[in-house]
Amino acid sequence: MFWADELAASVTGPQVVNDSKTPSGTVHVGSLRGPVVVDTIARALRDAGVPVELRYGVDDLDPMDAQALLTPDAIERSMGVPLARVPDPAGDCHPSYARHFAQVFIDTFDGLGIRPDMYYWMSEVYGSGAMDRYIRVALDAAATVREIYRRVANVNHPDDWHPLFVICEHCGRLGTTIVTGWDGQRVHYECRADLVTWATGCGNHGEVSPFGGRAKLPYNVDWAAKWDLFGVTIEPAGKDLSTKGGSRDRSDAIAREVFGNEPPRNVPYEFLNIRGRKMSTSKGLGASAQRIAEVIPPEQLRLLFLRPRPNTAIEFDPDGTDAIPRLFDESDRLAAATGGREVRGELPPDHERLFAVSLVDPRADAAAEASAYRPAFSHLALLEQIPGIDLDERVTAEKGSPLTERERAILEERRAAARTWLDAYAPERARLAVRRDAVPPAMADADEAQREYLADLAAALNDAQWNGEAVQAAIFATAQARDLPSGRAFAAIYLAFLGRPSGPRAGWLLAALDRQFVLSRLREAAGEGVTA
């Protein structure tokens, strides 16, 4: 059973699934795993007939902090100020820094079919007074909160530390304040110059009512309070938050011991890694979610996050690799298998369900989608680079019948993705310039066995079907018949057509060209060798 369906089968009663994000700057593509996971859980619950509400929170009362400082989006003069009160850096009519970056990832979510039943903004939640009772309870139980931090996470706060950050009345900073006293109505706070390394407090101190949006609970206390406020029953969390003694353990203990409610079910999920390291825009490792969404269509991007179980790390390095074409190939295999067509290689046991939850529209007919003709991504990337080809006409001919409206949409989506991939991420071997005028001089590097192979290949292709799979099969069969290693066979083809020993999938490369040109070039390269 698909992992989300397993979860749906194990719950009883209505469910509230929740997730949230601090809009502290550019969102890297790895940050999309959590939203895709929670959306898929909500879909599985609905499919199982379980009443469910999906909520997504924007933690815009968080201060601009060290994380934001590491990104090019930070506004240094606003370090420590709540993100909801920092100006829009782009000047594109958003009321704040938080609203600008939140809208970027909300738009990205929407494109992936992630459409929560409710978005909530914590600056508004605090401002409405909805968090006031939790602030009061936490302040009254300050000693218990301090003990939980010590016991669960080995974090020691001073005896006068209280779980609250006040927005300084003088400088407007939140991240530089510490609350040291509480009389049941007002808190005593200090805005310290040296409290944190990434912002400088103004030195102001005083007493203020902490209610109505003037203050914010620390992350772990805030998290536990939101669970109770919204009635959250399921909230997945990343691996970094779910480690022993980490944020999730602290919040679970605070939920039980301070607010008196059972914490929601956790579904820990692993990171999206590049070369074994967690993706992090702030460290220059990984692409922005917005940029990747321009290259990988929603269906394939959802698949990237859903094909392994959430607790399995994903290795994904799009830059200079075939990672993106391979993702399309896997998507196409799932579609073919779901549509009842034979595919090569092993399939996941839940491949039909995996294909269905990868679709953007949860109401889509998976069987109809699976039956749509999907031209191979690598093949389109090849065709896009060959002048004079009518791509619509070529793809229609390869399908063997007119494209439906849906198939034309898939074609245009993939063409745009292929162009962007070639511009931004493709390895050099995927970029090509077929040498049409003459056999490239590099053909001199081929030996006699490779030349004889090209002559035999010309004969084999004379009557072969002219499509990528058929040509690729002929390439392998001819090499096998001559007992020539496939690597040397492919190198001979690339030398003859591209003037280099490597290139894209040879069968699809040749099938994209005119048959007579291919046969002529193979014979010329085999018989005459190098033409100056």
Side-chain angles (χ1 to χ4, degrees):
M1 185 183 292
F2 184 62
W3 62 264
D5 296 327
E6 290 176 357
L7 188 154
S10 69
V11 305
T12 57
Q15 302 293 308
V16 175
V17 183
N18 186 64
D19 195 11
S20 63
K21 178 72 178 172
T22 299
S24 56
T26 303
V27 180
H28 64 76
V29 66
S31 299
L32 294 176
R33 189 171 198 184
V36 171
V37 165
V38 297
D39 174 71
T40 303
I41 290 171
R43 291 188 184 196
L45 289 166
R46 291 189 182 106
D47 289 346
V50 177
V52 60
E53 181 181 24
L54 175 59
R55 290 174 174 255
Y56 199 91
V58 182
D59 292 319
D60 61 334
L61 200 59
D62 288 357
M64 180 167 278
D65 60 9
Q67 176 69 19
L69 187 60
L70 292 173
T71 77
D73 311 308
I75 302 174
E76 292 196 38
R77 67 179 180 275
S78 297
M79 299 307 296
V81 175
L83 293 165
R85 300 188 181 187
V86 177
D88 177 0
D92 54 0
C93 300
H94 292 99
S96 69
Y97 181 102
R99 292 278 175 169
H100 172 85
F101 286 103
Q103 195 60 54
V104 171
F105 65 72
I106 286 172
D107 289 345
T108 303
F109 292 174
D110 188 71
L112 288 169
I114 302 169
R115 290 149 194 169
D117 300 296
M118 172 185 285
Y119 278 105
Y120 60 89
W121 303 77
M122 287 309 294
S123 61
E124 295 179 352
V125 174
Y126 274 92
S128 72
M131 296 293 281
D132 288 353
R133 60 191 172 104
Y134 299 99
I135 291 174
R136 182 177 295 278
V137 170
L139 290 173
D140 287 343
T144 301
V145 175
R146 291 193 294 267
E147 192 276 328
I148 289 171
Y149 273 87
R150 282 193 292 267
R151 167 167 45 90
V152 176
N154 198 29
V155 173
N156 294 296
H157 288 296
D159 290 343
D160 63 349
W161 178 88
H162 287 65
L164 196 70
F165 300 110
V166 171
I167 299 174
C168 178
E169 299 164 283
H170 183 259
C171 70
R173 288 183 171 83
L174 176 83
T176 55
T177 65
I178 182 170
V179 171
T180 58
W182 160 244
D183 65 9
Q185 295 299 324
R186 299 168 70 83
V187 294
H188 178 80
Y189 77 95
E190 300 171 13
C191 185
R192 296 182 180 176
D194 58 354
L195 184 66
V196 295
T197 59
W198 37 266
T200 303
C202 67
N204 183 47
H205 62 88
E207 293 185 353
V208 67
S209 169
F211 306 123
R214 299 185 191 91
K216 179 189 178 297
L217 293 165
Y219 175 70
N220 297 130
V221 186
D222 174 269
W223 201 5
K226 284 189 292 188
W227 292 338
D228 186 69
L229 176 65
F230 297 127
V232 180
T233 60
I234 300 172
E235 180 157 353
K239 173 186 176 182
D240 52 342
L241 302 180
S242 301
T243 55
K244 183 175 177 55
S247 285
R248 184 62 192 241
D249 280 355
R250 293 176 227 171
S251 296
D252 284 356
I254 290 168
R256 294 186 178 105
E257 299 175 40
V258 177
F259 299 127
N261 65 292
E262 187 62 22
R265 183 169 183 168
N266 188 12
V267 181
Y269 56 86
E270 268 276 9
F271 300 132
L272 185 68
N273 297 331
I274 293 181
R275 298 181 292 277
R277 296 170 59 197
K278 178 187 174 185
M279 240 182 215
S280 172
T281 301
S282 64
K283 297 178 182 177
L285 190 66
S288 77
Q290 186 180 25
R291 179 58 169 160
I292 284 290
E294 293 173 356
V295 186
I296 306 178
E299 181 181 316
Q300 285 71 39
L301 194 49
R302 288 183 64 93
L303 175 62
L304 172 66
F305 295 113
L306 293 176
R307 57 183 175 180
R309 296 182 74 91
N311 61 356
T312 304
I314 300 171
E315 294 293 333
F316 180 71
D317 185 0
D319 193 16
T321 73
D322 290 325
I324 290 175
R326 288 198 302 270
L327 180 60
F328 275 90
D329 290 344
E330 179 64 12
S331 175
D332 291 350
R333 289 178 71 247
L334 293 177
T338 301
R341 300 184 295 280
E342 184 178 353
V343 298
R344 297 177 181 176
E346 188 175 349
L347 287 164
D350 51 8
H351 65 270
E352 292 186 3
R353 182 61 168 154
L354 181 55
F355 175 73
V357 295
S358 298
L359 299 174
V360 175
D361 185 353
R363 300 161 300 179
D365 184 332
E369 285 290 322
S371 68
Y373 182 71
R374 296 161 182 262
F377 179 84
S378 296
H379 182 44
L380 289 181
L382 271 175
L383 295 175
E384 284 289 336
Q385 299 178 80
I386 299 175
I389 284 185
D390 185 325
L391 201 142
D392 286 358
E393 182 180 294
R394 175 61 66 92
V395 171
T396 299
E398 290 172 354
K399 179 194 174 187
S401 61
L403 300 180
T404 66
E405 183 178 343
R406 174 62 181 141
E407 288 167 343
R408 288 195 176 279
I410 291 173
L411 173 59
E412 289 309 310
E413 182 179 69
R414 293 190 170 202
R415 286 190 68 178
R419 288 191 292 265
T420 308
W421 177 70
L422 289 166
D423 290 341
Y425 295 110
E428 190 57 37
R429 65 179 179 275
R431 298 183 173 93
L432 63 90
V434 176
R435 304 288 292 273
R436 291 179 175 273
D437 52 344
V439 175
M443 190 62 206
D445 295 336
D447 59 27
E448 190 59 31
Q450 287 174 304
R451 296 179 192 281
E452 291 173 354
Y453 165 75
L454 294 181
D456 286 359
L457 181 60
L461 292 179
N462 192 57
D463 297 318
Q465 290 186 355
W466 207 244
N467 61 65
E469 290 188 5
V471 174
Q472 189 85 342
I475 289 171
F476 277 112
T478 305
Q480 187 174 23
R482 294 201 61 85
D483 199 24
L484 183 70
S486 59
R488 295 183 62 207
F490 283 113
I493 295 170
Y494 297 134
L495 288 170
F497 288 88
L498 305 179
R500 67 188 199 207
S502 63
R505 291 193 292 180
W508 280 260
L509 168 63
L510 299 188
L513 303 170
D514 177 74
R515 185 199 295 262
Q516 292 308 313
F517 167 73
V518 170
L519 299 181
S520 175
R521 173 57 59 84
L522 289 171
R523 295 180 184 121
E524 188 178 2
E528 298 180 15
V530 177
T531 300

